[in-house]
């Protein structure tokens, strides 16, 4: 488990005590089901329910001797209940317990992650509306393209975050499946009623068919949803990092410690304000993407099962949940405290002397009757002159006799009208539901 990034609520889910207590609930419910079938005395089940306890240290001590975690668990719990402990784990194999308990841990984790995602959604919606009409340059290939608004950038992230919420909801549902069907899934030593009873009590669906394990495509979907969400956060963080570059300086992530303490950006250079938080988000996203590959590798098991999925799942499942919880928290903090330099955005937008309105000028020429190829050539010639010689593009086209012969000055002025360029912002926001 990645301790440094573990927030208490998420960390508690993946502690051994919670895992063992979840196993114990599966075991007790199975005993109840057997009692309903008349195979275990009801009074024995009542005694197990009253007395059974989880002693993590004792279970680990037993495991250190016998090298099997489930047998150590069953033995340790049986010690706490006395004679009736013989009924615990009746007719079951290890993964009848483990794979029916694991969905409960994943659902607990998913509920926290979904809460985080919805908080991120709310922050993005608020800030998108705040900067709905704040103009900035849109960049393609890292080069000035055409005007957009910072609010539209945030609205795009909002829409993507909503898709991540949907993916997590679907993944939560996909893993909400249990199995108590024996060593190869045939119910040879356990009545199907036991599976139905336990799953119903836990709010799970019985797997329609299983081997010794729940099939790992479900878990791959869960870790995949985490990895995709992490990649979205990486995308947001990467954009913030780029916009914070000295040459751009359009945004800046929060820079300051608790109680007004001054953050240190560099051990050597006092002037540095590095996008360290955003870089941390991007770095940890790589870990979660790597974990998704391991989850995919776990899908292919030998025959009715092997144990190659078990050891990596002990790492990738808790760590992926813990890391996504952490980076969602960090991204919420970054966006909530993000400093937006609207003046710098406008200066950068205007820095090329109207070059970013080249398509509008070309279209005005086409509308006036000029062939498109000729219009492109005329406008491109002035654009390259402005680019290479640091000249004002608007002045160049406004003084071109061929352009003026086709396009009146008033129509040419419209081509450089920023409000006209951004006239559909409201329409886009309505489609996003803002």
């Amino acid at each position: 488990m990645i301790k440094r990034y573990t927030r208490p609520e998420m960390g508690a889910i993946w502690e051994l005590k919670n895992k063992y207590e979840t196993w114990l609930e599966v075991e007790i419910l199975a005993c109840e089901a057997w009692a309903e079938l008349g195979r275990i005395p009801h009074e024995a089940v009542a005694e197990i329910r009253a007395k059974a306890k989880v002693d993590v240290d004792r279970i680990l001590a037993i495991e250190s001797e016998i090298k099997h975690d489930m047998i150590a668990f069953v033995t340790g719990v049986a010690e706490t209940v006395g004679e009736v402990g013989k009924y615990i784990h009746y007719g079951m194999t290890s993964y009848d317990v483990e794979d029916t308990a694991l969905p409960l841990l994943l659902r607990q984790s998913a509920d926290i992650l979904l809460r985080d995602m919805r908080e991120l959604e709310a922050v993005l919606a608020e800030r998108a509306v705040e900067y709905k009409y704040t103009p900035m340059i849109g960049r393609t290939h890292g080069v000035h393209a055409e005007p957009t608004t910072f609010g539209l950038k945030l609205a795009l992230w909002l829409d993507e975050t909503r898709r991540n919420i949907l993916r997590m909801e679907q993944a939560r549902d996909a893993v909400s499946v249990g199995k108590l069907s024996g060593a190869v899934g045939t119910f040879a030593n356990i009545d199907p009623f036991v599976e139905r009873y336990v799953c119903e009590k836990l709010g799970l669906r019985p797997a329609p068919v299983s081997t010794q394990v729940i099939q790992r495509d479900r878990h791959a979907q869960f870790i995949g949803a985490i990895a995709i969400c992490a990649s979205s956060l990486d995308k947001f963080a990467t954009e913030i990092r780029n916009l914070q570059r000295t040459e751009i300086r359009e945004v800046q992530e929060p820079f300051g410690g608790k109680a007004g303490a001054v953050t240190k950006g560099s051990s050597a250079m006092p002037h540095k304000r590095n996008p360290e938080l955003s870089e941390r988000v991007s770095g940890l996203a790589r870990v979660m993407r790597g974990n998704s590959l391991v989850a995919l590798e776990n899908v292919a098991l030998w025959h009715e099962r092997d144990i190659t999925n078990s050891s990596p799942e002990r790492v990738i499942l808790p760590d992926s949940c813990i890391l996504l919880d952490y980076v969602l928290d960090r991204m919420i903090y970054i966006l909530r405290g993000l400093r937006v330099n609207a003046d710098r955005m406008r200066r950068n937008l205007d820095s090329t002397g109207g070059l970013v309105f080249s398509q509008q000028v070309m279209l005005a020429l086409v509308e006036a009757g000029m062939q498109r190829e000729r219009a492109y050539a005329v406008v491109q010639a002035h654009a390259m002159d402005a680019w290479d010689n640091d000249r004002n593009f608007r002045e160049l086209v406004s003084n071109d006799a061929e352009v003026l012969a086709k396009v009146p000055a008033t129509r040419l002025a419209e081509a450089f009208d920023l409000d006209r360029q951004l006239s559909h912002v409201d329409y886009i926001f309505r489609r996003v539901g803002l």
Side-chain angles (χ1 to χ4, degrees), residues 43 54 77 93 136 284 347 379-380 405-406 426:
E43 55 270 23
V54 166
V77 170
T93 191
M136 65 180 298
L284 293 175
R347 288 202 300 274
V379 174
Q380 186 182 45
K406 287 285 187 179
D426 285 339

Side-chain angles (χ1 to χ4, degrees), residues 195-264:
E195 181 182 77
R196 294 196 305 271
Y197 180 93
V198 174
C199 287
E200 182 179 352
K201 291 292 185 180
L202 296 175
L204 303 174
R205 303 183 305 278
V209 58
S210 67
T211 58
Q212 189 177 109
V213 297
I214 295 292
Q215 300 308 289
R216 261 43 199 174
D217 62 292
R218 297 179 182 275
H219 306 76
Q221 180 179 348
F222 189 90
I223 297 299
I226 287 178
I228 293 172
C229 183
S231 294
S232 294
L233 298 174
D234 182 12
K235 167 184 172 177
F236 308 163
T238 297
E239 183 68 5
I240 291 169
R241 290 161 57 199
N242 268 312
L243 295 181
Q244 189 166 327
R245 290 167 55 199
T246 307
E247 296 81 2
I248 298 176
R249 291 184 63 190
E250 293 178 353
V251 304
Q252 181 185 298
E253 68 175 37
F255 187 80
K258 295 180 180 179
V262 179
T263 300
K264 303 295 192 294

Side-chain angles (χ1 to χ4, degrees), residues 273-345:
R273 291 191 176 189
N274 301 326
E276 185 271 333
L277 296 176
S278 299
E279 289 173 338
R280 195 184 308 172
V281 169
S282 291
L284 293 175
R286 298 171 186 174
V287 178
M288 286 177 271
R289 283 195 292 269
N291 287 350
S292 70
L293 177 59
V294 178
L296 290 170
E297 296 284 354
N298 284 347
V299 174
L301 303 177
W302 285 13
H303 303 300
E304 277 57 59
R305 84 152 301 189
D306 61 58
I307 204 170
T308 54
N309 67 292
S310 179
S311 52
E313 283 179 357
R314 295 166 193 248
V315 177
I316 66 172
L317 293 179
D319 282 4
S320 293
C321 293
I322 286 166
L323 287 178
L324 185 57
D325 178 44
Y326 175 79
V327 297
L328 280 165
D329 175 73
R330 292 296 79 197
M331 184 53 65
I332 290 165
Y333 173 78
I334 291 167
L335 288 168
R336 189 168 275 143
L338 191 69
R339 293 174 56 184
V340 178
N341 190 339
D343 291 339
R344 182 65 178 232
M345 288 179 175

Side-chain angles (χ1 to χ4, degrees), residues 33-62:
W34 281 121
E36 291 293 318
L37 293 171
R39 302 285 289 275
I40 294 177
H42 282 283
E43 55 270 23
V45 179
E47 189 173 353
I48 292 171
R49 172 70 76 178
K51 294 182 176 179
K53 296 290 185 293
V54 166
D55 184 334
V56 174
D57 291 337
R58 176 58 181 154
I59 293 169
L60 292 177
I62 298 170

